[in-house]
Amino acid sequence: MGLLDVILGRGKLKEAKREPLFALSTARITLETELGLRPAGVAAVCFKPLSAGDFVRAENELQELLEVTARDSGSRLRRKSDEFGFEWLVIEDPDFEDLVTTVHLVGSELHARGFGPQLLAAIFKFEGGKHPVYWIYGYKRGTFWPFVPTGRDQERDNAEELELKAKLERELPVEQDTSVWFAMFDAPL
């Protein structure tokens, strides 16, 4: 970032940290045995689309990425836009290891194709508790946080989220600043 960027208030987006994502594979054992949470076989990667000028090129590359990734991994992929203008790549695979690997591959491919700074989060759904549990991975900070919606209007179970943090922070890089534990109520999973 140069002096002109500082003066004009422009900042450079942080690059995505993709490698800590694999910690979820090992934490799965604790999630299943100690907490009774099973992977739901679905995850998603959320990113901010590029500017209109880069959109056509990126759109073609993104479609190619989806086709190659689905073919190579055996996972099913679909794309969804949300009401806030974010793009979601939803991955379905009953094999959890393949699911995590495909999410990583999607993030790596997006990064390689110039979308690295636009990568926002990956979200994994788990079932078996009172409510569905989502583990969200923030690409910018390289950390996870739990999200437990109660099913009532934009309400989350903060007590259960803190309990999950306490039980998994030795296995996962859990975000310590709970003020950045963003909710994803309308995630398309």
Side-chain angles (χ1 to χ4, degrees):
M1 188 157 72
L3 179 60
L4 187 58
D5 291 327
V6 172
I7 292 170
L8 296 175
R10 294 185 299 221
K12 189 174 182 180
L13 294 173
K14 286 177 85 173
E15 283 293 327
K17 297 177 184 175
R18 299 178 315 275
E19 297 311 315
L21 188 65
F22 285 114
L24 192 57
S25 290
T26 56
R28 173 188 179 190
I29 295 167
T30 301
L31 285 163
E32 286 185 4
T33 59
E34 291 183 27
L35 303 172
L37 297 172
R38 298 173 317 281
V42 63
V45 175
C46 180
F47 65 98
K48 180 181 176 195
L50 293 170
S51 66
D54 295 324
F55 185 74
V56 173
R57 175 191 59 81
E59 184 70 20
N60 292 336
E61 289 182 2
L62 192 55
Q63 189 57 42
E64 179 185 315
L65 164 68
L66 289 175
E67 291 167 7
V68 168
T69 303
R71 184 179 63 240
D72 291 349
S73 69
S75 301
R76 291 186 341 166
L77 279 92
R78 61 185 160 90
R79 186 170 164 196
K80 176 125 174 68
S81 299
D82 69 18
E83 64 185 276
F84 303 108
F86 294 106
E87 293 292 317
W88 292 83
L89 299 177
V90 181
I91 302 112
E92 295 177 31
D93 197 315
D95 183 300
F96 189 68
E97 295 297 321
D98 287 350
L99 187 65
V100 172
T101 301
T102 302
V103 167
H104 182 268
L105 177 63
V106 165
S108 294
E109 286 296 320
L110 285 169
H111 183 269
R113 294 172 189 241
F115 284 89
Q118 278 80 16
L119 278 170
L120 301 175
I123 182 170
F124 295 84
K125 183 177 182 180
F126 290 83
E127 300 170 326
K130 183 177 173 185
H131 305 290
V133 171
Y134 298 89
W135 278 96
I136 300 171
Y137 178 74
Y139 281 104
K140 303 298 183 222
R141 296 171 76 98
T143 55
F144 287 91
W145 64 90
F147 170 55
V148 183
T150 64
R152 288 177 280 214
D153 189 39
Q154 304 288 306
E155 185 179 291
R156 63 198 292 183
D157 188 337
N158 296 107
E160 186 175 349
E161 291 174 356
L162 291 171
E163 185 178 331
L164 288 165
K165 172 193 177 290
K167 290 183 176 177
L168 286 158
E169 62 189 344
R170 287 183 304 240
E171 296 182 52
L172 283 176
V174 176
E175 177 59 52
Q176 297 301 307
D177 182 358
T178 58
S179 70
V180 297
W181 287 15
F182 300 111
M184 294 192 171
F185 287 103
D186 298 322
L189 339 169

